[in-house]
């Protein structure tokens, strides 16, 4: 079997499974900025512009999106620290295709979040300058994931962080450089690390930070079958970020296997009502803590695609948001993301 055949088979299998649940688009006129998705072409997994357009083209009014790093298309040669610039170059090319208007009205990757090694400290400024150049006005910041857990059942982040990365002086110096350049920092961590993250966020008040995936509530390993206990712990920890005005919260990315809802094991995928019923407490708690002006919805596709379709996911988001004012709904669905990422 060729590489492309294998990719198509897996993609089509998921598509057929997701096609069992078909819903009309809820509130189709609401404009969306999808604040977090990926694009890649990896052995056994391809998710490029065509695949993403297939997902977002079901009727939701997606006007813009933000690409977030996933170690795709690094340069094969040259300075190791500059190799991640290749990812920005790759995505900026896709963004330019989308901006031509030839692929529909959505502006895919209008914002680009790349990767730079913050443990370079002040020296990271050179890498960031190269990414700004490569991004053609679309590069908005970086993500250096810190997700780490000692239990082997829990997959650590692709950046191979250690337990104490957030306490590294060089790492914090790198974060300060981001603030100096008005670039944002996306952070992916797990919920047991939130106390460490609070200290980190307070140490760099001038740097705009975006907490990915609610701060990573876990549902596997030692947290399996403990959804209520995890939510209680997470809810208490997240409260300490209320007085950190430099921190935004991305609401989404909790339908992955690591979150423990096990949607992917069902004969049929969940409906938007099922998603909302199972997870709404996270969204409402985040909005209570951060306010409706510091929260934004994210699809986290194609990662969350293994659990639900794009239409169903955004229907769930909109149904959860429906309890807020029209102004707050517009902020949560589009305006906050575009403001945070200076789009």
């Amino acid at each position: 079997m060729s590489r492309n055949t294998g990719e198509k088979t897996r993609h089509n299998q998921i598509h057929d499974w997701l096609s069992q649940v078909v819903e009309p688009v809820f509130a189709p006129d609401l404009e969306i900025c999808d604040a977090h998705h990926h694009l890649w072409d990896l052995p056994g997994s391809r998710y490029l512009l065509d695949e993403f357009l297939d997902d977002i083209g079901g009727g939701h009014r997606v006007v813009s999106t933000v690409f977030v790093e996933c170690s795709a298309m690094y340069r094969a040669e040259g300075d190791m620290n500059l190799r991640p610039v290749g990812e920005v170059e790759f995505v900026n090319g896709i963004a330019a295709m989308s901006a031509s208007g030839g692929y529909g009205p959505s502006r895919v990757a209008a914002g680009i979040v790349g990767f730079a090694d913050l443990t370079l400290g002040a020296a990271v400024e050179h890498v960031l300058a190269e990414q700004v150049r490569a991004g053609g006005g679309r590069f908005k910041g970086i993500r250096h994931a810190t997700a780490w857990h000692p239990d082997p059942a829990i997959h650590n982040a692709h950046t191979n962080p250690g337990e104490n990365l957030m306490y590294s002086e060089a790492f914090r110096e790198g974060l300060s450089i981001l603030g100096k350049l008005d670039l944002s920092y996306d952070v992916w961590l797990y919920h047991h690390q939130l106390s460490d993250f609070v200290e980190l966020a307070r140490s760099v008040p001038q740097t705009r930070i975006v907490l990915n995936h609610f701060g990573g509530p876990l549902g596997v390993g030692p947290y399996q079958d403990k959804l209520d206990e995890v939510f209680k712990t997470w809810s208490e920890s997240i409260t300490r970020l209320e007085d950190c005005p430099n921190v935004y919260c991305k609401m989404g990315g909790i339908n992955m296997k690591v979150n423990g809802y096990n949607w992917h094991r069902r004969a049929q995928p969940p409906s938007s009502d099922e998603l909302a019923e199972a997870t709404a407490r996270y969204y409402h708690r985040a909005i209570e803590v951060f306010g409706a002006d510091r929260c934004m919805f994210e699809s986290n596709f194609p990662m969350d695609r293994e659990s639900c379709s794009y239409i169903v996911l955004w229907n769930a988001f909109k149904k959860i948001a429906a309890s807020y004012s029209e102004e707050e709904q517009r902020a949560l669905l589009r305006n906050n993301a575009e403001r945070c990422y200076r789009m």
Side-chain angles (χ1 to χ4, degrees):
M1 180 183 293
S2 72
R3 170 182 167 182
N4 287 352
T5 300
E7 291 163 357
K8 279 189 172 182
T9 299
R10 176 58 179 159
H11 190 85
N12 291 341
Q13 286 174 344
I14 295 176
H15 178 271
D16 291 344
W17 180 69
L18 294 175
S19 296
Q20 296 179 87
V21 175
V22 178
E23 296 182 355
V25 172
F26 184 77
D29 292 333
L30 284 173
E31 295 180 336
I32 291 170
C33 173
D34 185 343
H36 191 114
H37 70 88
H38 308 293
L39 298 164
W40 56 52
D41 189 2
L42 303 170
S45 179
R46 174 175 292 177
Y47 197 74
L48 297 174
L49 182 59
D50 287 345
E51 289 80 10
F52 187 50
L53 291 176
D54 284 344
D55 282 329
I56 71 175
H60 287 297
R61 194 176 177 187
V62 181
V63 298
S64 60
T65 77
V66 178
F67 166 88
V68 177
E69 65 85 26
C70 50
S71 302
M73 302 295 182
Y74 281 17
R75 294 173 177 173
E77 300 175 345
D79 186 335
M80 290 295 296
N81 293 323
L82 292 176
R83 290 188 183 185
V85 177
E87 184 170 43
V88 177
E89 294 170 326
F90 150 63
V91 176
N92 192 44
I94 288 181
M97 292 170 64
S98 178
S100 75
Y103 297 85
S106 301
R107 295 296 172 257
V108 174
I112 298 173
V113 175
F115 169 78
D117 183 359
L118 292 178
T119 64
L120 293 172
V124 79
E125 186 165 359
H126 172 60
V127 179
L128 296 172
E130 287 297 303
Q131 290 178 314
V132 169
R133 179 197 57 76
R138 298 184 178 96
F139 178 73
K140 306 301 179 182
I142 67 105
R143 180 173 74 166
H144 186 154
T146 65
W148 177 90
H149 198 283
D151 194 298
I154 298 171
H155 178 70
N156 292 333
H158 55 289
T159 50
N160 297 314
E163 179 179 3
N164 298 311
L165 177 61
M166 286 185 279
Y167 289 99
S168 162
E169 291 185 11
F171 185 85
R172 294 189 178 193
E173 185 178 23
L175 275 177
S176 296
I177 298 298
L178 286 172
K180 168 187 170 183
L181 300 177
D182 196 23
L183 296 171
S184 60
Y185 169 58
D186 272 56
V187 59
W188 169 34
L189 48 81
Y190 293 135
H191 76 271
H192 74 288
Q193 298 175 289
L194 280 169
S195 293
D196 295 338
F197 173 65
V198 171
E199 293 189 34
L200 178 72
R202 289 176 176 170
S203 74
V204 286
Q206 78 284 7
T207 299
R208 190 168 56 257
I209 300 177
V210 187
L211 180 64
N212 291 183
H213 315 333
F214 286 109
L218 289 164
V220 295
Y223 309 101
Q224 187 172 346
D225 301 322
K226 297 180 180 179
L227 293 177
D228 291 339
E229 180 180 324
V230 168
F231 175 77
K232 183 177 184 296
T233 301
W234 171 87
S235 181
E236 293 170 351
S237 298
I238 210 79
T239 302
R240 297 179 59 200
L241 290 167
E242 185 173 12
D243 61 351
C244 294
N246 59 321
V247 180
Y248 288 72
C249 182
K250 277 186 182 174
M251 303 190 302
I254 55 169
N255 295 305
M256 294 183 286
K257 296 173 183 177
V258 73
N259 302 117
Y261 291 97
N262 294 324
W263 304 117
H264 63 289
R265 294 181 177 173
R266 295 175 25 150
Q268 289 190 336
S271 67
S272 58
D273 288 336
E274 288 179 292
L275 285 179
E277 181 178 358
T279 63
R281 57 184 177 177
Y282 277 99
Y283 298 85
H284 294 309
R285 180 64 177 141
I287 294 170
E288 181 182 17
V289 170
F290 292 94
D293 61 338
R294 286 198 285 142
C295 292
M296 63 191 83
F297 289 108
E298 54 154 329
S299 73
N300 192 37
F301 261 48
M303 298 301 296
D304 279 36
R305 187 177 183 270
E306 293 197 344
S307 295
C308 60
S309 73
Y310 201 87
I311 290 177
V312 164
L313 180 64
W314 284 91
N315 276 352
F317 290 163
K318 290 177 177 178
K319 288 176 180 180
I320 292 169
S323 61
Y324 300 92
S325 71
E326 291 184 6
E327 180 180 359
E328 288 171 328
Q329 290 180 54
R330 288 192 294 270
L332 294 166
L333 287 161
R334 178 186 180 182
N335 296 343
N336 291 345
E338 292 191 344
R339 173 169 51 86
C340 176
Y341 287 111
R342 302 178 293 111
M343 293 160 64

